[in-house]
């Protein structure tokens, strides 16, 4: 889990330096948060993507669906 946390911190550093995240970056972050058991981050990430005019793609939705499918 340490590597996942480091990846999240790197993405935050990127944002602080003005480096724009793309849909692949957001999908990676989404998968990391879900792997860390933080599904509450889904709405935050989707909202941020929407604010930055980045459309979710099939990977975004499949990542979310896969997470919830594995809960049962």
């Amino acid at each position: 889990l340490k590597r996942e946390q480091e990846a999240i911190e790197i993405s935050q550093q990127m944002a602080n330096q003005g480096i724009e995240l793309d849909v692949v970056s957001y999908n990676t972050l989404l998968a990391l948060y879900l792997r860390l058991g933080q599904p509450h981050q889904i709405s935050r990430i989707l909202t941020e993507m929407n604010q930055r005019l980045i459309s979710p793609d099939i990977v975004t939705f499949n990542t979310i669906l896969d997470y919830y499918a594995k809960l049962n």
Side-chain angles (χ1 to χ4, degrees), residues 23-31 34 46 49 55-67:
V23 69
V24 175
S25 301
Y26 280 110
N27 287 341
T28 302
L29 280 175
L30 182 61
L34 294 177
L46 292 176
M49 289 174 73
S55 298
D57 63 8
I58 190 69
V59 175
T60 310
F61 293 111
N62 282 344
T63 300
I64 296 167
L65 288 172
D66 183 63
Y67 173 79

Side-chain angles (χ1 to χ4, degrees), residues 1 6 8 15 18 22 24 26 30 34 36 42 45 47-48 50 53-55 60:
L1 295 178
E6 289 174 4
I8 291 167
D22 61 7
V24 175
Y26 280 110
L30 182 61
L34 294 177
L36 292 171
I42 294 170
I45 289 176
T47 298
E48 187 173 321
N50 186 48
L53 304 176
I54 297 172
S55 298
T60 310

